[in-house]
Amino acid sequence: MSTLNASFVQNMAIVHPEYFFIIGLSGIPYSSYYYIFLFITYFIAVIMNSIVLLIIALERSLHSPKYIGVFNLALADLGETNALIPNMMKTFFSDSQYISYNACLANMFFVNFFITLQSVTLVVLAIDRFIAICLPLRYHALLNNTVMSLVFLVVWAFNTSLVALSTSLMTRLSICKSNVVQSYYCGYGPVLRLACNDNSIYIFITNLIAALFLVAPLCIIVLSYMGIFFALSKITTWEARLKALKTCVSHLMLVGIYFLPVICIYIASSITSLTPNARVISISLSFTLPPMLNPIIYVLNTAEIRVLIRKVLKKRIVPIRNISK
């Protein structure tokens, strides 16, 4: 009975604010120009990722394991961009930096879901390149459209379950220190710091998610490329090595764009104490620039997509020339 009473008292002690106040950038005179820059990145990201999705969906020659991965990455980029930037624009251009408690949790779920999906997709693409270069004769036996589709089905289910669990556990936090979120969106860390009850289990889960979706993926990607470089060292001619390596350039650039900013922010935070504004700018750039750059990199560095775009442009230009004559 005493245990029941203790549980009841604990539940009664949980306090949830009606609203959170998203602080964003404060005390910077021309911060509106930064938000305009973010809106431009949003516009480019939406257009470019939509183009990549349409090209892969409509062109049958791109219905292959690699491009199922690229399609999934573009989908994750589009999801993350829409989960993050429109809310920022609404919050800061409407001069209303308040967000309801439930909207904050929804924002937390979607942003973290799509960020983790990007990370895992980069791992799957690294494994795809590893098999293609190290086990070329077994590539189609190990990876086909069905296998890759099932892999991403499992990835989506796993990510959804873990991020939903971590977000739902946040409802067990009693938010009574403050309702001011020292960030530009409802992230785990900024909200955890507002809790006044024991949050050790939540910190553990946050660190676990960071390990699962940042540290582990980076380690797997590094190991994959160590295997790739070892396989390339066995190729006798430099021309063949470069030809095989060129198929990895786009992916390596995506990995660098995704992981390097996060690593740099972590190192900077360890060496010196970042101001709230510096933290907001650095983290927001690390989250908003990759979705804009990823499709551009794939369009510019992928011969198949470039050829398709040229064909479409030629079909459009030739009728216009005929009409003008």
Side-chain angles (χ1 to χ4, degrees), residues 92-110:
F92 296 108
F93 279 119
S94 64
D95 291 327
S96 174
Q97 291 172 246
Y98 288 95
I99 183 171
S100 70
Y101 179 81
N102 288 331
C104 180
L105 291 182
N107 180 238
M108 183 185 293
F109 170 80
F110 285 109

Side-chain angles (χ1 to χ4, degrees), residues 22-26 31-42 80-99 103 107 111 115 181-187 276-277 279-289:
I22 308 293
I23 197 164
L25 293 173
S26 58
S31 59
S32 58
Y33 291 109
Y34 180 68
Y35 294 121
I36 291 168
F37 165 74
L38 289 182
F39 177 75
I40 293 168
T41 65
Y42 168 75
E80 190 224 314
T81 303
N82 280 298
L84 201 57
I85 299 180
N87 276 334
M88 290 176 66
M89 298 299 104
K90 179 186 172 185
T91 300
F92 296 108
F93 279 119
S94 64
D95 291 327
S96 174
Q97 291 172 246
Y98 288 95
I99 183 171
N107 180 238
V111 171
I115 288 171
V181 178
Q182 299 281 344
S183 184
Y184 63 99
Y185 82 104
C186 288
N277 285 333
R279 187 177 292 275
V280 166
I281 290 172
S282 58
I283 295 175
S284 62
L285 286 175
S286 72
F287 282 175
T288 55
L289 288 181

Side-chain angles (χ1 to χ4, degrees), residues 154-194:
V154 171
V155 165
W156 276 71
F158 178 75
N159 282 32
T160 302
S161 303
L162 197 60
V163 177
L165 173 64
S166 60
T167 305
S168 64
L169 285 173
M170 299 295 281
T171 61
R172 306 303 301 163
L173 288 174
S174 189
I175 311 294
C176 51
K177 284 184 180 178
S178 171
N179 70 334
V180 177
V181 178
Q182 299 281 344
S183 184
Y184 63 99
Y185 82 104
C186 288
Y188 289 132
V191 174
L192 273 172
R193 285 191 282 272
L194 304 178

Side-chain angles (χ1 to χ4, degrees), residues 122-142:
L122 290 173
V123 173
V124 176
L125 286 170
I127 293 169
D128 171 82
R129 291 300 82 207
F130 174 81
I131 295 172
I133 293 172
C134 299
L135 303 166
L137 299 177
R138 298 188 62 194
Y139 180 81
H140 294 291
L142 294 171

